[in-house]
Amino acid sequence: MITDRVNSIKPSPTFALDATVKQMVRQGMDVINLGLGEPDFETPENIKKAAIRAIRNGFTHYTQTEGILPLREAIVNKFKSDNAITYDPSEIIVSNGSKQILYTAFQVLIDKKSEVLIPVPAWGTYAEQVKAADGMPVFIKLEPPFKLTAKDIEKAVTDKTKVLLLNSPSNPTGAIIDPEELKKIVNIALKYKLWIIADEIYEKLIYTGKHLSIASINEEIKARTITINGLSKAYAMTGWRLGYAGGPKYVISKMIALQGQITSNASSISQMAGLEALKGDQKPLLEMLSELRKRRDFLIKELSHSQNLSFSAPEGAFYFYISVEKLLSKNYPDSTAWCKGLLETEKVAVVPGEAFDYPGYFRLSYANSMDNLKKAVNKINNFLKKNS
Ligand code: PLP
């Protein structure tokens, strides 16, 4: 009765893990959740106040599907000053999270059996959304330190390849594509007439290295790129559901048409909050970044003590992607079993590499307090002692 298309879609493993953790907590267990990909910070006060003002002023009705003009103008300014990309407000769409933007982008760009190149490890949603658009995800398997190269792409291209997905800084590895390499990637993409979907949602969370937006490199590639971003990660606004994208008008207008038949506009209240996030004081973002950097540095130091855990220092986002390949055994034959063991015996939740189409690893999110991270490191060490 259910369609093949929907039957083939896997539910989000990170949300499933979160549900398990919440269930354990309800049963009275003390679980440290390093599984979920959301900042543990409060949405800044100025942003909350803007939303409250919107409610009080009665700004509680439908807006244009693509988002209110002042917000799209603020996004245009953001793209210009942060990313050196010039868009017109008519080339911007605002949606219910960047997840929705990705979904509509795939629906608009992909035909049946079109191939989408996805460098892995990658956020599992990409492949599932490609399948939901009847396309074919084609994985490019990266080796540590997980930095995509133009050569990797050229090896994977076929005459069915339509889109190249880029996510830099990456969830789950924190890797950033080297700016010089990105320029070579542009040449390959133009040579094979690929479309680029550039998910830049972690762009503000960078500790080392430099972010370069592919659409800023030249006009030709800009004309084939959808640049995606959102408010969730940089402004601790995951629950507000606000994402946005810039791209060529004829593509964005189709995304708007599709969104208009699905959800209409993103919440009017969230849009007002998003406007304040982009235009208001950026100090809370910098404070969050500085705290995340402390945690990252702490974990690099602590986790380096273990010879059996190997990882590349993350350059951005708030994750470590850690290999457990040397630790797999009869008791824990794969990373899913290993993570389950860690959760059941030490009550520490991390996401297995299977969720990122790259088994043998786990993702640890350091969007959690320093106290909890310290406890978690001790617990992981206990687990290693018992199982190495
Ligand atoms: N892109 C990446 C790489 C992510 O990790 C996430 C969330 O985890 C998103 C996009 C979606 O974010 P949102 O829909 O909250 O904007």
Side-chain angles (χ1 to χ4, degrees):
M1 190 284 254
I2 306 293
T3 60
D4 289 346
R5 185 176 57 245
V6 171
N7 266 333
S8 76
I9 305 231
K10 289 185 266 176
S12 161
T14 39
F15 284 121
L17 179 73
D18 194 52
T20 310
V21 170
K22 288 198 173 117
Q23 170 83 2
M24 290 171 79
V25 171
R26 272 199 298 278
Q27 289 166 356
M29 289 180 224
D30 189 9
V31 184
I32 302 177
N33 189 356
L34 308 183
L36 208 58
E38 65 174 344
D40 57 312
F41 300 85
E42 279 283 311
T43 304
E45 206 52 39
N46 60 320
I47 299 176
K48 288 184 186 171
K49 281 189 180 145
I52 292 165
R53 261 198 317 274
I55 297 173
R56 294 218 189 286
N57 292 342
F59 195 72
T60 50
H61 300 273
Y62 291 131
T63 71
Q64 297 96 307
T65 296
E66 62 269 36
I68 54 172
L69 185 60
L71 178 57
R72 282 181 292 122
E73 284 171 345
I75 292 166
V76 164
N77 288 339
K78 185 257 170 244
F79 274 130
K80 196 170 196 144
S81 56
D82 291 357
N83 309 100
I85 315 173
T86 308
Y87 288 120
D88 185 79
S90 63
E91 295 175 308
I92 303 293
I93 177 171
V94 175
S95 301
N96 297 275
S98 56
K99 212 174 203 176
Q100 186 182 15
I101 300 260
L102 282 158
Y103 182 84
T104 43
F106 286 128
Q107 293 290 330
V108 166
L109 290 179
I110 291 175
D111 282 315
K112 219 175 164 61
K113 302 276 185 276
S114 296
E115 291 179 0
V116 176
L117 298 180
I118 304 175
V120 288
W123 187 43
T125 292
Y126 301 131
E128 300 311 310
Q129 291 197 349
V130 169
K131 287 194 276 173
D134 287 336
M136 295 273 293
V138 174
F139 297 134
I140 299 179
K141 189 165 186 260
L142 304 177
E143 296 299 331
F146 306 114
K147 282 173 169 285
L148 180 70
T149 67
K151 280 196 187 128
D152 295 329
I153 298 165
E154 194 146 33
K155 273 191 240 156
V157 166
T158 71
D159 56 1
K160 295 201 192 75
T161 312
K162 177 104 187 259
V163 175
L164 166 66
L165 189 287
L166 299 179
N167 174 219
S168 176
S170 145
N171 171 11
T173 67
I176 294 175
I177 300 172
D178 177 46
E180 284 312 308
E181 197 61 37
L182 196 64
K183 291 176 189 157
K184 294 184 196 157
I185 291 173
V186 165
N187 295 336
I188 295 294
L190 292 175
K191 179 172 165 190
Y192 293 100
K193 297 194 169 47
L194 305 183
W195 275 86
I196 307 287
I197 294 184
D199 178 354
E200 304 189 349
I201 195 159
Y202 292 101
E203 159 225 25
K204 295 272 186 201
L205 306 179
I206 288 192
Y207 316 101
T208 166
K210 208 173 160 342
H211 173 76
L212 178 66
S213 288
I214 191 164
S216 72
I217 292 178
N218 63 40
E219 284 300 315
E220 269 179 287
I221 199 70
K222 183 184 161 213
R224 307 189 66 80
T225 300
I226 299 176
T227 309
I228 296 181
N229 213 317
L231 285 288
S232 286
K233 313 288 172 171
Y235 297 96
M237 290 178 71
T238 47
W240 300 76
R241 309 310 301 126
L242 209 60
Y244 58 87
K249 192 172 169 182
Y250 72 103
V251 176
I252 295 290
S253 62
K254 293 294 176 199
M255 289 170 64
I256 295 168
L258 181 57
Q259 180 171 309
Q261 298 296 9
I262 304 174
T263 56
S264 305
N265 56 279
S267 149
S268 58
I269 300 153
S270 296
Q271 290 188 59
M272 280 304 194
L275 182 59
E276 173 61 26
L278 293 178
K279 287 180 81 167
D281 190 0
Q282 300 296 300
K283 213 166 117 214
L285 188 157
L286 298 176
E287 284 167 1
M288 181 170 89
L289 186 62
S290 137
E291 177 59 28
L292 287 173
R293 181 190 293 278
K294 276 190 216 147
R295 298 175 191 173
R296 166 191 175 269
D297 294 348
F298 165 76
L299 286 172
I300 290 177
K301 200 163 121 250
E302 291 298 318
L303 298 172
S304 302
H305 295 321
S306 168
Q307 294 188 335
N308 286 328
L309 294 177
S310 57
F311 62 90
S312 307
E315 298 170 290
F318 38 71
Y319 310 109
F320 278 71
Y321 203 56
I322 303 175
S323 169
V324 287
E325 276 164 327
K326 289 187 204 149
L327 295 164
L328 299 181
S329 61
K330 232 189 193 162
N331 283 348
Y332 301 117
D334 55 34
S335 35
T336 296
W338 195 90
C339 293
K340 192 163 177 270
L342 181 68
L343 180 60
E344 283 169 357
T345 60
E346 297 295 335
K347 313 284 182 287
V348 174
V350 291
V351 185
E354 283 80 353
F356 307 98
D357 294 297
Y358 204 106
Y361 283 69
F362 67 88
R363 186 191 77 176
L364 178 157
S365 160
Y366 51 95
N368 208 317
S369 69
M370 197 62 130
D371 266 3
N372 274 343
L373 292 176
K374 283 180 186 162
K375 281 189 216 155
V377 166
N378 287 336
K379 286 168 177 280
I380 292 172
N381 282 335
N382 278 342
F383 190 64
L384 290 176
K385 261 186 229 143
K386 283 184 241 157
N387 297 293
S388 294

